[in-house]
Amino acid sequence: MRCQRLQSMYVLLNNQPGIMQRPRTSIIRFHFLFYVITLYLLCICISSTFRFLYNGTCVVDGDTVLRLLFVAKMYDLPDLVEKCNTYLHHNVDVDNVCTVLDQALTFEETELKQNCLSVISRETSNVFKSPGFLSLSRNGLKALLELNDMGVTGEEEVYLACKTWAEENSGKDKTSKEQKVEVQEDGGSSLRTALGDCLSLIRFPSMSVDTFVCSVSKDNLLTADEKLHIIQDIVTTETTCNFPATKRARSLTFDIQRMSEIPRADWWSHTGKQDGISFTVTQSATLVAVALYLPSKKGEVQGPLEILEDQNLVVSMDITLQHQPNEPFQYITLEKEVALKQNVNYSIRQRLAGTSTYYGKKGLGKQMFNDIEISFKNLFAGTSDNSSSATNGQIHGIRLKKYYV
């Protein structure tokens, strides 16, 4: 057995108290089961796993990342776990966020969980409409409902999404027709069972009376007493029910792309020198991501990404950008969101080394989005010695979030 990690796990299992004192048939069964499990896990992503086990390198992509993460956690491969998490951190989207969130919860990957919840917070309405939402685990749904910030029109949208999820997940061993009959006959108790403690996280008292009466009270998901107390809380603003009454903050996310052109026949070199730009906003907002240029051919660039408020460093993270066919740039979600103050200088800096990347030119300078004016300028904190400026070079744009109550 050439792989030290597999050999160590085999020895650990083989030395469990009592293992060798069991009947010979049990010992044979144990060895057989060990090899079957090992072969199954490795076969589902065999080439990448073996490549990593023997030389420490492998290609992580959208087709293999979740399976690789599963194997990496199973066999305690921290470097591979980190590689998978880095890929997921930069590639979680509306279509896969529910699946990735469940994986993050299963493997207790806190940073990955927070990244998934940030995507859900920003794209809540679209996540509710995605096929992955109906397959979300109850624990995943609970984590979603604990968010204070959602991109929804109101709590009615949250309730309807939870109701649809419960209808899909109440009795998965039954046919769709049998589920509908059961829901009609049990008066909604099967939906309550499916939701479990998630039901208590829906903020019914934050609805208007009209919304609650028209969208919720006609359903049988709540008891008569619960409905009565909720309406009483809405009207009197007192607290007599067990449901949270605080309204969720609503947010609007928008992307600002500062470059008007991206040349396709010319590239930008990276040798570890610094590229940077600065910007100001006229109203408070939150910086959640930065759009960076990707390698123009197969390969990658690596290095630190930094966000500064005036001269003070507020975010620093190591990034790896890999070539993606027909994709000149990618939004990199920040490990920590930055609350932007009006008319304060903020700077984005990168010091990358590796292959050449795309770049932009003909910078747009000032732009207006939702009554917020964003002004891009030459780097305020430090020197952009790799030649990026307000009109030319690296850092394609930013992603901002504005909160509304």
Side-chain angles (χ1 to χ4, degrees):
M1 197 179 295
R2 293 179 60 195
C3 174
Q4 185 62 41
R5 292 186 179 93
L6 294 182
Q7 184 176 4
S8 298
M9 191 182 85
Y10 175 84
V11 171
L12 177 66
L13 289 174
N14 203 38
N15 289 335
Q16 289 296 312
I19 248 304
M20 300 309 296
Q21 286 71 43
R22 295 174 185 174
R24 180 173 179 80
T25 54
S26 296
I27 297 173
I28 294 174
R29 192 178 301 117
F30 161 77
H31 290 293
F32 176 75
L33 182 61
F34 172 82
Y35 283 110
V36 167
I37 294 174
T38 299
L39 288 173
Y40 169 74
L41 291 173
L42 293 179
C43 282
I44 59 178
C45 44
I46 188 166
S47 60
S48 296
T49 304
F50 275 126
R51 191 180 301 116
F52 185 84
L53 289 173
Y54 284 100
N55 61 31
T57 63
C58 71
V59 176
V60 178
D61 57 33
D63 294 329
T64 63
V65 62
L66 290 178
R67 289 176 288 176
L68 279 172
L69 179 60
F70 181 80
V71 171
K73 295 294 289 190
M74 176 68 71
Y75 288 109
D76 190 24
L77 308 175
D79 293 340
L80 184 55
V81 170
E82 182 179 358
K83 194 174 184 71
C84 291
N85 282 341
T86 298
Y87 178 88
L88 289 170
H89 183 80
H90 301 311
N91 291 276
V92 175
D93 56 29
V94 169
D95 293 328
N96 64 22
V97 67
C98 291
T99 301
V100 177
L101 176 60
D102 276 338
Q103 295 290 326
L105 292 171
T106 299
F107 297 127
E108 298 181 346
E109 292 292 331
T110 304
E111 288 187 11
L112 182 58
K113 170 189 169 184
Q114 292 305 319
N115 185 39
C116 290
L117 293 177
S118 294
V119 173
I120 292 173
S121 174
R122 186 173 68 246
E123 301 281 355
T124 314
S125 290
N126 291 327
V127 170
F128 285 159
K129 298 171 186 174
S130 70
F133 174 70
L134 297 179
S135 301
L136 186 64
S137 68
R138 186 191 291 174
N139 284 338
L141 181 63
K142 182 178 180 181
L144 184 157
L145 292 173
E146 288 172 343
L147 288 170
N148 286 316
D149 169 30
M150 286 189 180
V152 293
T153 56
E155 197 68 16
E156 176 191 12
E157 188 175 347
V158 177
Y159 166 72
L160 293 176
C162 289
K163 180 184 172 184
T164 302
W165 180 92
E167 290 171 346
E168 179 70 19
N169 289 274
S170 59
K172 283 194 169 182
D173 56 335
K174 300 179 176 64
T175 65
S176 177
K177 184 177 180 180
E178 288 173 336
Q179 288 183 43
K180 291 180 180 178
V181 172
E182 183 180 271
V183 169
Q184 291 172 354
E185 290 179 347
D186 69 11
S189 65
S190 63
L191 300 186
R192 287 184 70 105
T193 300
L195 285 170
D197 55 358
C198 291
L199 180 63
S200 65
L201 299 174
I202 302 176
R203 305 183 182 187
F204 294 109
S206 69
M207 300 179 182
S208 67
V209 173
D210 289 344
T211 298
F212 182 79
V213 170
C214 294
S215 300
V216 181
S217 64
K218 62 183 180 180
D219 294 333
N220 293 320
L221 195 56
L222 298 174
T223 66
D225 283 344
E226 287 172 336
K227 294 175 185 178
L228 179 62
H229 287 299
I230 290 171
I231 292 176
Q232 182 178 338
D233 285 4
I234 296 173
V235 174
T236 65
T237 67
E238 296 179 356
T239 303
T240 62
C241 70
N242 295 321
F243 297 96
T246 305
K247 284 189 175 182
R248 301 182 199 271
R250 294 188 297 113
S251 64
L252 176 65
T253 302
F254 45 97
D255 296 339
I256 299 94
Q257 298 179 12
R258 73 184 192 94
M259 296 298 193
S260 57
E261 290 187 16
I262 303 176
R264 299 293 177 139
D266 194 12
W267 322 122
W268 198 270
S269 61
H270 295 277
T271 59
K273 292 184 177 181
Q274 182 163 273
D275 287 291
I277 55 100
S278 296
F279 68 95
T280 59
V281 293
T282 57
Q283 291 186 30
S284 60
T286 302
L287 177 66
V288 297
V290 177
L292 302 180
Y293 289 110
L294 297 175
S296 53
K297 56 185 178 182
K298 284 189 176 181
E300 64 181 28
V301 288
Q302 296 179 320
L305 170 66
E306 300 173 337
I307 310 295
L308 296 92
E309 181 178 297
D310 280 334
Q311 301 290 342
N312 301 315
L313 185 66
V314 292
V315 174
S316 179
M317 52 190 286
D318 292 325
I319 59 171
T320 299
L321 304 175
Q322 297 179 332
H323 171 73
Q324 297 182 26
N326 303 316
E327 295 291 341
F329 63 88
Q330 177 181 352
Y331 277 93
I332 305 301
T333 303
L334 300 180
E335 292 179 351
K336 181 179 71 172
E337 296 182 350
V338 179
L340 304 178
K341 305 169 186 174
Q342 63 182 33
N343 301 322
V344 172
N345 282 302
Y346 291 90
S347 300
I348 304 169
R349 305 191 309 203
Q350 64 177 39
R351 294 185 298 279
L352 304 180
T355 189
S356 299
T357 68
Y358 293 97
Y359 73 96
K361 63 181 184 179
K362 296 185 180 180
L364 299 175
K366 293 184 178 181
Q367 297 186 56
M368 182 73 72
F369 285 87
N370 289 87
D371 299 325
I372 302 177
E373 184 178 86
I374 302 97
S375 300
F376 293 102
K377 57 185 76 173
N378 291 337
L379 184 61
F380 173 79
T383 303
S384 185
D385 55 10
N386 203 38
S387 302
S388 287
S389 67
T391 57
N392 191 62
Q394 295 294 289
I395 307 168
H396 182 71
I398 57 178
R399 174 173 289 158
L400 299 183
K401 180 162 59 176
K402 181 69 176 177
Y403 290 95
Y404 302 90
V405 178

